[in-house]
Amino acid sequence: LPDGSQADINGDSAIALDFTDGHRRVRLLRGEAWFGVTHDPAHPFVVETGAGAVRVLGTQFSVRRDGTRMTVMVEEGLVEVAAHPGGPDDAWDGVRLHPDEAVESGPAGLGDVQTIDAGVVFAWRRGQVVFRQQSLASVIAELNRHWPGRVLLPGDEAAGRVVSGVFALDRPAAVFDALEQGIGVRPTRITPYLTLLR
């Protein structure tokens, strides 16, 4: 970024930048982005979404936007999260997050601070995706963020099946093989951009 900070953008994600007049502002339009922020006490680094904002001086964290919900996850340092913040110099009515902590914000405001496993939630930065006891429906949603085309699960009978595993994002065939062997769903490739799981 213009200030020397780093932004890694996850699949199906977009950001807009405002680094004019001494500001360091990023708007997360959709998806997820990880930030390694250059320390600058005079100019807080602010990430905004429709569900709230994050303010830091120097740290490593990610912000994820899902519709009207925002999830902030901290890898290193300290961040302030507010559902409805004032300006950069105004008091923020929110919470402070430390490493390995996360919080969600939505229409009802901020949720409770949760403990996270940074190795799992930031695995996408290493080209991996990690699932621990997650529903097949949530697994498919995550895979669709990273792969071209769509993976669909017709019907709801298998959506709640539980999946655990570590998968390389550049090897979709291996993921499908693991799902077939592990929970019995078989992939049917309709086109290069459409796969059905049955």
Side-chain angles (χ1 to χ4, degrees), residues 160-184:
R161 292 183 187 173
V162 176
V163 176
S164 294
V166 179
F167 305 105
L169 288 171
D170 62 351
R171 297 182 58 208
V175 177
F176 293 140
D177 288 345
L179 291 176
E180 184 171 7
Q181 294 173 16
I183 62 173

Side-chain angles (χ1 to χ4, degrees), residues 4-192:
S5 298
Q6 179 183 350
D8 290 351
I9 310 300
N10 204 343
D12 192 28
S13 302
I15 62 174
L17 304 179
D18 177 6
F19 282 74
T20 59
D21 301 324
H23 292 298
R24 297 200 297 167
R25 289 184 175 271
V26 176
R27 183 156 182 82
L28 181 62
L29 304 174
R30 71 173 183 272
E32 180 177 13
W34 175 94
F35 300 95
V37 177
T38 299
H39 187 72
D40 184 353
H43 302 96
F45 188 97
V46 177
V47 180
E48 301 171 333
T49 73
V54 183
R55 180 172 65 178
V56 301
L57 298 178
T59 188
Q60 296 179 1
F61 66 102
S62 78
V63 182
R64 184 169 185 165
R65 182 175 183 172
D66 296 299
T68 60
R69 301 198 66 77
M70 170 184 77
T71 305
V72 180
M73 297 168 280
V74 179
E75 185 172 9
E76 185 179 293
L78 181 71
V79 306
E80 297 175 302
V81 183
H84 304 289
D89 299 321
D90 297 337
W92 281 36
D93 182 16
V95 299
R96 288 188 168 202
L97 296 180
H98 299 84
D100 298 319
E101 290 185 340
V103 71
E104 286 191 1
S105 177
L110 291 173
D112 295 330
V113 174
Q114 305 289 327
T115 300
I116 60 168
D117 182 338
V120 172
V121 299
F122 299 119
W124 62 270
R125 297 188 62 237
R126 301 185 306 273
Q128 297 178 323
V129 62
V130 179
F131 302 114
R132 290 189 176 169
Q133 298 294 303
Q134 292 176 241
S135 70
L136 179 58
S138 67
V139 168
I140 291 171
E142 185 64 24
L143 295 177
N144 280 331
R145 292 169 55 83
H146 298 283
W147 293 344
R150 302 295 290 172
V151 178
L152 300 177
L153 182 67
D156 297 328
E157 64 278 358
R161 292 183 187 173
V162 176
V163 176
S164 294
V166 179
F167 305 105
L169 288 171
D170 62 351
R171 297 182 58 208
V175 177
F176 293 140
D177 288 345
L179 291 176
E180 184 171 7
Q181 294 173 16
I183 62 173
V185 292
R186 189 177 71 252
T188 302
R189 194 168 190 181
I190 306 301
T191 74

